[in-house]
């Protein structure tokens, strides 16, 4: 499902050790923790914050493994609870040059999300443990395989989570930039 992201996010109730152990027991493999600093921008030709519900983001990510530029358009666009997003991301060689390009075109910085992410993979699902500065600890489950559509990918994530048998906190239907800006 290239260019489509299907994920679910939960607030962690406590240390993620039980969930890590369960993932390891299912053959899950951890990646190295990495810091990611995401700078989000607003567009001069279409205000991303103008609608009742924010449904699109443009960001530059700088991390331990390089930099990228990313645009997401969440669906359903006007619904407060999203099911998936169109996602277009590409590595960039020079993040500062991209920042300067955006500034020259009139884009303005909205917020910065600074997090440490530890990503595991198991059964075609990426499980990301995020510690987000100022927001706390979260876990995201993202479908990474092939599926017949969003409904099938969502069902596979939900089945994966149910099979874990681990208690999670509340499901979060907002992205980290929504939370840093106090948006819905």
């Amino acid at each position: 499902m290239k260019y489509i992201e299907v994920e679910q996010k939960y607030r962690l109730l406590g240390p993620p050790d039980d969930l890590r152990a369960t993932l390891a027991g299912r053959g899950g493999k951890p990646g190295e923790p990495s810091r990611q600093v995401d700078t989000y921008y607003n567009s001069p030709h279409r205000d991303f914050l103008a609608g009742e519900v924010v449904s699109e983001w443009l960001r530059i990510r700088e991390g331990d493994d390089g930099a990228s530029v990313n645009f997401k358009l969440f669906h359903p666009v006007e619904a407060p609870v999203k099911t998936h997003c169109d996602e277009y991301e590409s590595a960039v060689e020079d993040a500062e040059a991209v920042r300067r390009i955006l500034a020259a075109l009139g884009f303005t910085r909205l917020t910065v999300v600074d997090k440490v992410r530890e990503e595991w993979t198991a059964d075609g699902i990426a499980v990301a443990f995020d510690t987000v500065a100022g927001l706390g600890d979260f876990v995201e489950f993202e479908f990474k395989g092939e599926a017949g559509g969003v409904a099938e990918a969502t069902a596979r994530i939900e089945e994966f989570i149910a099979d874990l048998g681990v208690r999670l906190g509340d499901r979060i239907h907002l992205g980290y930039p929504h939370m840093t800006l106090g948006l819905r």
Side-chain angles (χ1 to χ4, degrees):
M1 292 184 38
K2 190 173 181 176
Y3 305 124
I4 297 176
E5 178 183 69
V6 180
E7 71 178 19
Q8 292 184 12
K9 180 184 315 180
Y10 295 83
R11 185 173 295 280
L12 283 173
L13 296 174
D17 298 337
D18 289 346
L19 181 50
R20 284 187 180 110
T22 300
L23 291 170
R26 292 181 66 165
K29 304 290 183 208
E32 288 295 318
S34 65
R35 182 171 179 219
Q36 297 176 340
V37 179
D38 296 340
T39 305
Y40 289 83
Y41 293 87
N42 202 359
S43 167
H45 69 284
R46 182 173 67 242
D47 183 359
F48 296 159
L49 306 180
E52 297 232 356
V53 177
V54 176
S55 294
E56 53 191 334
W57 292 117
L58 175 68
R59 74 155 193 249
I60 297 173
R61 171 172 285 167
E62 296 174 271
D64 296 338
D65 58 350
S68 64
V69 63
N70 176 289
F71 176 77
K72 292 184 181 187
L73 176 61
F74 293 88
H75 301 283
V77 171
E78 297 302 322
V81 176
K82 309 300 186 183
T83 59
H84 66 287
C85 71
D86 300 329
E87 180 178 35
Y88 311 111
E89 184 165 19
S90 185
V92 297
E93 185 174 316
D94 186 342
E96 180 60 26
V98 175
R99 266 192 292 283
R100 289 172 182 250
I101 290 168
L102 293 176
L105 293 172
F107 285 75
T108 54
R109 192 179 94 162
L110 288 171
T111 190
V112 174
V113 174
D114 188 344
K115 68 180 177 281
V116 174
R117 171 169 280 185
E118 177 188 331
E119 188 166 293
W120 288 62
T121 55
D123 301 329
I125 305 291
V127 181
F129 295 94
D130 291 336
T131 299
V132 184
L135 296 177
D137 296 318
F138 302 86
V139 62
E140 289 184 357
F141 300 90
E142 182 179 344
F143 183 75
K144 290 289 190 177
E146 288 299 318
V150 171
E152 180 184 333
T154 300
R156 289 179 54 191
I157 290 172
E158 290 171 351
E159 179 182 323
F160 179 85
I161 293 169
D163 288 347
L164 290 173
V166 174
R167 191 168 155 243
L168 299 171
D170 293 333
R171 179 155 177 218
I172 307 296
H173 294 283
L174 301 171
Y176 300 132
H178 292 87
M179 291 186 255
T180 63
L181 291 167
L183 302 170
R184 64 179 197 105

